[in-house]
Each structure stands twice: as structure tokens, then as C-alpha cells.
């Protein structure tokens, strides 16, 4: 349901949150390798997330990408989806029709409405702090 860029962004944000929790800053090559994404594409995505305040970056020998604990606890998958893909995934027709609505439904409107509602709930459920903790403790994986 998400674009490839959005999938990379979500995984990269979880990875950076996990590393930040451990006190590490990570460079773009390390992030790209951790989420199996092209380096240049990852760099572009991370720059966008920095501009939007999801994470920060620092230059220099001790530089890299990081997310402070407050931001990890505040931001959720929904925020990254909104930034990278926009909110269309939560609102658009499952068949891509422009005029789909409750008054003018497509053949799968009622079923897809439930999928969209559940997707909103799932993306708003966990903070990146919680997701990083799951990966840190071996309860979830990014690859």
C-alpha cells in the first residue's frame, strides 16, 4: 500500500531510532545497508525527514543521523507516511476511481473502507520509540 520510498523511510526511521537509543549516530551508507535501499535514494528520503523534523543530522567526525528520545516517543508511522506518500493512501478509492464515495461507491468501497480505517489505526498505534524497542529486543526485524 505504501510506495517503496515510504517503506524505506519507515524502516530507516525505526533503525535510526534504535541506534539513537543506543547513543549512536549513523551515516547514510549504514542506514541504506540496514534497510536494503540504494544510498542516494536513502539520502534523499532522510533529508526530507530532517526538513520535516522527524530526525536530525549533524556533520563532521561524530556526525550522522539521530532522533532524540522525545521525538521517538512523539512520531508515529502515520507521520512518515504523511510526509513521504501524503494522506491519499488513507482516503483514496481502492480501485483508483476519482468519484468513489459512500454515495457513489466502487464495487469494493465498503470493504476497502475498513482496510483504510485499520491502516490509519495501525500507523497511529506505535511510536518510533516503541518500534525501535521491538527491534532492539529481537521481537521484530527490519530485514
Amino acid at each position: 500500500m505504501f510506495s517503496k520510498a515510504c517503506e524505506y523511510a519507515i524502516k530507516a526511521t525505526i533503525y535510526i531510532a534504535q541506534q539513537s537509543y543506543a547513543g549512536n549516530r549513523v551515516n547514510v551508507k549504514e542506514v541504506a545497508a540496514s534497510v536494503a535501499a540504494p544510498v542516494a535514494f536513502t539520502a534523499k528520503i532522510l533529508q526530507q525527514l530532517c526538513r520535516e523534523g522527524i530526525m536530525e543530522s549533524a556533520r563532521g567526525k561524530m556526525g550522522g543521523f539521530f532522533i532524540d528520545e522525545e521525538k521517538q516517543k512523539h512520531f508515529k508511522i502515520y507521520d512518515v507516511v504523511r510526509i513521504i506518500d501524503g494522506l491519499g493512501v488513507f482516503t483514496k478509492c481502492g480501485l483508483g476511481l476519482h468519484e468513489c464515495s459512500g454515495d457513489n461507491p466502487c464495487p469494493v468501497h465498503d470493504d476497502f473502507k475498513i482496510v483504510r480505517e485499520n491502516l490509519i489505526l495501525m500507523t497511529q498505534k506505535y511510536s518510533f520509540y516503541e518500534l525501535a524497542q521491538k527491534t532492539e529486543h529481537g521481537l521484530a526485524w527490519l530485514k
Side-chain angles (χ1 to χ4, degrees):
M1 294 194 83
F2 303 127
S3 69
K4 200 54 133 170
C6 193
E7 290 174 6
Y8 290 150
I10 292 165
K11 292 188 291 186
T13 304
I14 294 168
Y15 178 76
I16 294 168
Q18 179 186 14
Q19 293 301 309
S20 296
Y21 180 77
N24 302 321
R25 293 181 180 187
V26 290
N27 66 43
V28 68
K29 288 180 182 178
E30 183 181 344
V31 175
S34 74
V35 299
V39 174
F41 196 40
T42 302
K44 184 177 176 182
I45 292 165
L46 297 180
Q47 288 169 357
Q48 189 173 0
L49 294 173
C50 284
R51 278 193 305 272
E52 294 290 333
I54 298 284
M55 63 184 64
E56 299 174 62
S57 67
R59 294 183 184 264
K61 187 176 180 181
M62 300 301 289
F65 293 92
F66 61 97
I67 308 170
D68 69 50
E69 192 171 316
E70 184 91 13
K71 286 184 180 184
Q72 289 182 37
K73 290 180 177 179
H74 173 75
F75 288 112
K76 305 196 182 311
I77 294 172
Y78 183 89
D79 299 301
V80 171
V81 173
R82 177 185 50 79
I83 291 165
I84 303 296
D85 281 354
L87 297 178
V89 70
F90 303 119
T91 60
K92 289 183 180 175
C93 172
L95 297 180
L97 302 178
H98 295 291
E99 301 296 322
C100 183
S101 68
D103 295 332
N104 188 32
C106 74
V108 297
H109 179 80
D110 292 332
D111 293 326
F112 200 72
K113 181 179 177 185
I114 294 167
V115 171
R116 283 193 317 261
E117 290 168 354
N118 285 330
L119 186 61
I120 290 170
L121 291 174
M122 185 274 300
T123 60
Q124 292 178 341
K125 185 174 183 177
Y126 301 107
S127 69
F128 281 103
Y129 179 85
E130 294 166 306
L131 297 168
Q133 293 303 303
K134 281 185 169 187
T135 59
E136 180 67 22
H137 298 299
L139 301 173
W141 294 264
L142 292 175
K143 283 190 180 182

